[in-house]
Amino acid sequence: MMREALRLAREAASADEVPVGAVVWETASGIVLGTGRNRREEDNSPSAHAEFIAIEQACQAVGDWRLNHCSLAVTLEPCPMCAGLIVNARIGRVVFGALDPKAGACSSLFQLTTDPRLNHRVHLVSGVLADEAADMLKEFFQSRR
């Protein structure tokens, strides 16, 4: 699933968006329920993050806002907005690639998805294809300088 998220991230970069891609799938069956890539510039929306789009698609696909039975793969550690959505959607597992030391809300700056004070905690798997995801982000931002 991370390979598909990386493909979506490349698609985002081709559209001059920050290269982040996300996939939500039903954990047991492997059926993909939602995909997304960053679209903030295209949609003129601060909420058009890859995770947000993929989670909304998945909720529509299953007809429920609860995604306990689902996993999310995303190329970059989710930000506070997306981490909050992950908790609120009750996603069971998040697999992410590169750490985000400036805005990461799963382990780098905050630990929203595992905070025991919240009503849901997420199983995290970090560092999956992290170098590939980080390299794509570095190349994108270097090309903009």
Side-chain angles (χ1 to χ4, degrees), residues 21-105:
V23 177
V24 175
W25 74 96
E26 192 173 65
T27 306
S29 70
I31 295 170
V32 173
L33 301 171
T35 61
R37 64 169 179 80
N38 272 1
R39 298 181 52 97
R40 290 187 335 171
E41 300 299 330
E42 290 175 68
D43 294 354
N44 292 313
S45 173
S47 66
H49 287 201
E51 304 96 303
F52 211 99
I53 294 164
I55 290 169
E56 286 189 333
Q57 280 182 11
C59 288
Q60 293 302 309
V62 300
D64 194 358
W65 59 268
R66 294 171 197 88
L67 300 175
N68 306 65
H69 63 294
C70 295
S71 295
L72 165 72
V74 61
T75 57
L76 180 65
E77 178 184 1
C79 72
M81 176 184 71
C82 292
L85 181 63
I86 288 163
V87 169
N88 280 300
R90 312 290 196 267
I91 301 242
R93 177 177 62 171
V94 171
V95 178
F96 69 89
L99 290 170
D100 187 349
K102 294 185 179 181

Side-chain angles (χ1 to χ4, degrees), residues 123-137:
H123 175 73
L124 292 176
V125 179
S126 63
V128 176
L129 300 175
D131 291 341
E132 197 171 329
D135 288 347
M136 192 181 316
L137 286 158

